[in-house]
Amino acid sequence: MANKQHFKPHENVQLMYIWRKFRFCQEWIRACAAANIPLLKSDNPSLQQFLNTRVKNGGAIPGSSQLRDEYLFDVYLVEKEKLKKLKGKKVAILTDELSDDEGRYVLDVLVVILDFDDLSPHGNTVAYLLDTDFLTQTNNVTVSQSVIRIVHGYGISYDDVLIFNSDNVAYMKLAFSQTLSVIFPSCVNITCHSHIVNLVVSDFKKSFSEIIEFVKSFRNLFFIPSAERADP
């Protein structure tokens, strides 16, 4: 007969407190994510004072570092599991690449369900972030590998990927033409026109460097305290 583990009353109370704190911190992370509030704001002294004095159990919310290290990943796993509803849905894959403050290449892969039943309450399409991948370098091979791995990880059928949306850079178009168009046979590539417009505008404004510097200087006046702007 297996030995039963018995807990003393004070140990039960302690376990209950730990469990409630765990759940409370998870709910706080979900609320911040839904409101697009960075967890770093949890360190704000005024917010901490408000939570401690006005919110029941608000003092249980730790600093942003502890939230990220001890609670965020569990919330991520729960939310990721909810996205298993993507299986069997027709979808569009969206990509966005950037670099972080450490100079690493970052690729965000998002998905939109192509179904009117999955619109937001305002009638808009909803994009879900599937994964953020840190790449050693950005080229057509690394992008293709990352997208295929992420799509496969969510159980999305390759035949259900109907749109691959990316910017207009050469390696993105090459990733689709050489690899993704073969893996996703029903897929078409839609490039982001804003990237093209940005290139055109960036080239166009080179001819007006003096005007641009004047506008920048004029704009900076509004960021200088009035006491410093005033004549002596």
Side-chain angles (χ1 to χ4, degrees), residues 7-109:
F7 294 96
K8 297 180 181 179
H10 72 276
E11 291 177 337
N12 289 331
V13 172
Q14 187 177 13
L15 289 173
M16 184 61 68
Y17 171 78
I18 294 173
W19 171 247
R20 287 179 177 174
K21 178 180 179 180
F22 182 79
R23 292 293 300 275
F24 192 74
C25 290
Q26 286 188 331
E27 291 170 6
W28 173 253
I29 291 174
R30 289 193 183 94
C32 288
N36 200 25
I37 300 175
L39 292 182
L40 186 63
K41 298 297 183 182
S42 302
D43 299 333
N44 183 277
S46 297
L47 180 58
Q48 283 287 344
Q49 182 180 5
F50 175 80
L51 292 173
N52 291 332
T53 58
R54 298 295 184 180
V55 179
K56 184 178 180 181
N57 298 324
I61 298 177
S64 60
S65 296
Q66 189 173 349
L67 285 171
R68 286 191 295 266
D69 294 342
E70 299 184 15
Y71 303 98
L72 180 60
F73 187 69
D74 291 308
V75 175
Y76 163 76
L77 291 179
V78 172
E79 296 302 317
K80 182 177 181 179
E81 189 63 28
K82 291 180 181 178
L83 286 179
K84 296 297 183 181
K85 68 178 183 179
L86 296 171
K87 191 173 183 179
K89 300 278 190 178
K90 305 296 184 183
V91 301
I93 299 297
L94 294 73
T95 58
D96 184 31
E97 70 277 8
L98 61 154
S99 58
D100 64 5
D101 56 358
E102 296 181 6
R104 296 177 297 180
Y105 301 106
V106 182
L107 178 69
D108 288 333
V109 179

Side-chain angles (χ1 to χ4, degrees), residues 115-142:
D115 190 333
F116 287 111
D117 293 334
D118 287 280
L119 296 177
S120 73
H122 302 290
N124 301 319
T125 56
V126 180
Y128 301 96
L129 177 63
L130 295 182
D131 208 343
T132 297
D133 211 354
F134 295 89
L135 307 177
T136 55
Q137 54 184 331
T138 50
N139 54 49
N140 62 302
V141 175
T142 56

